[in-house]
């Protein structure tokens, strides 16, 4: 058998075709999983940023209402102060949690630039 005969046999073989299709299938699967993980990571990050922004809003509302009441000379009801205090406390906890996530990412090398 000559080289040309071997080449035709290999190129026309179903086994070779199956191996090539299998390799490309594995490659496609690996790339797809990587893309999915990357997108999922960004979705989680966006949710964390949204939670921190909402938490900062609660902290700001606490201080803004107290400053406004002092400037305009009125008192806030105890129930409202309690509500604002609860939002501020939970907001500060959420901000700390977000800071810990960023710190953990840097420590594990996931966010070496310190962006976000």
């Amino acid at each position: 058998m000559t080289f040309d005969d071997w080449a035709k046999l290999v190129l026309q073989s179903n086994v070779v075709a199956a191996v090539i299709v299998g390799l490309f299938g594995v490659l496609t699967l690996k790339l797809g999983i990587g893309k999915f993980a990357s997108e999922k990571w960004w979705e989680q990050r966006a949710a964390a940023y949204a939670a921190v922004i909402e938490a900062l809003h609660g902290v700001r509302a606490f201080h803004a209402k107290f400053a406004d009441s002092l400037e305009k000379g009125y008192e806030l009801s105890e129930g409202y102060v309690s509500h604002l205090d609860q939002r501020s406390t939970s907001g500060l906890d959420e901000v700390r949690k977000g800071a810990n996530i960023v710190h953990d990412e840097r420590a594990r090398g996931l966010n070496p630039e310190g962006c976000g």
Side-chain angles (χ1 to χ4, degrees):
M1 243 179 170
T2 67
F3 178 74
D4 290 337
D5 293 334
W6 276 105
K8 285 180 186 176
L9 182 66
V10 168
L11 292 175
Q12 293 175 351
S13 170
N14 289 337
V15 173
V16 173
V19 168
I20 291 172
V21 167
L23 289 175
F24 278 106
V26 169
L27 177 66
T28 303
L29 180 66
K30 193 167 189 158
L31 291 174
I33 288 173
K35 183 179 179 188
F36 174 76
S38 174
E39 288 174 359
K40 198 66 168 165
W41 182 76
W42 278 110
E43 287 174 7
Q44 291 171 349
R45 203 125 200 237
Y49 285 140
V52 168
I53 290 170
E54 183 65 29
L56 287 172
H57 179 71
V59 173
R60 183 195 166 282
F62 175 80
H63 294 287
K65 292 294 180 183
F66 269 105
D68 193 44
S69 71
L70 289 174
E71 288 174 4
K72 295 183 180 172
Y74 63 89
E75 290 195 28
L76 300 170
S77 71
E78 283 189 35
Y80 190 60
V81 169
S82 176
H83 171 72
L84 287 175
D85 184 48
Q86 181 183 14
R87 282 185 65 195
S88 179
T89 302
S90 66
L92 287 173
D93 290 342
E94 190 69 33
V95 170
R96 285 187 191 104
K97 187 169 73 172
N100 287 337
I101 290 170
V102 170
H103 182 271
D104 290 345
E105 286 177 352
R106 287 184 194 157
R108 288 182 287 158
L110 296 175
N111 191 5
E113 300 89 25
C115 299

